[in-house]
Amino acid sequence: MWRWKTISPHLPTGDSECLARRRRWVPCETDVNGRTTTYEYDTFWRPIKLRRPGDETGTPTVQHQYQNWGVASSQNIYTIQKVDASTANDLWVKKYFDGVGRVVQTQAR
């Protein structure tokens, strides 16, 4: 009999204050200096936001958008990474996938 086991490198190891936020599991990590990085996931447990210390409010440090998912010719992951909080110059990468999950095209700035 097959048993599925989910392993995520972003799940906390005993950090009880990060267990829930707004009735939704939001895993996080706290470094040795007590600064917390949080991860947010969509209903399919795909990462959608990463907030590093200093980015607790406003635009997240990294943001993923899953666009046209299920349409093999145009499904893509649009990733936005904040460069500097004081400017609007974010980096972005858009990766298009075929029906098997292989990257067929990458666009970036």
Side-chain angles (χ1 to χ4, degrees):
M1 176 180 202
W2 289 92
R3 291 189 178 198
W4 293 95
K5 184 175 182 181
T6 304
I7 300 173
S8 174
H10 304 299
L11 292 177
T13 55
D15 192 352
S16 60
E17 67 184 43
C18 296
L19 291 179
R21 180 183 298 165
R22 292 187 201 153
R23 297 178 159 186
R24 184 171 173 185
W25 178 257
V26 182
C28 62
E29 296 174 336
T30 303
D31 65 13
V32 295
N33 296 320
R35 297 171 46 148
T36 302
T37 300
T38 60
Y39 305 89
E40 295 181 35
Y41 299 90
D42 65 7
T43 55
F44 299 108
W45 284 96
R46 299 177 297 191
I48 55 172
K49 294 180 183 174
L50 177 144
R51 292 184 184 274
R52 292 203 170 103
D55 291 333
E56 289 84 6
T57 59
T59 308
T61 310
V62 178
Q63 183 172 307
H64 301 285
Q65 298 172 4
Y66 300 88
Q67 302 174 338
N68 299 326
W69 212 252
V71 180
S73 62
S74 63
Q75 63 188 1
N76 65 77
I77 300 175
Y78 182 61
T79 303
I80 304 165
Q81 182 169 357
K82 186 189 309 188
V83 177
D84 186 6
S86 63
T87 65
N89 296 328
D90 296 333
L91 298 177
W92 59 267
V93 174
K94 189 180 271 193
K95 292 184 179 183
Y96 289 85
F97 297 86
D98 64 7
V100 188
R102 297 174 294 200
V103 177
V104 293
Q105 181 182 6
T106 301
Q107 300 172 352
R109 176 185 82 167

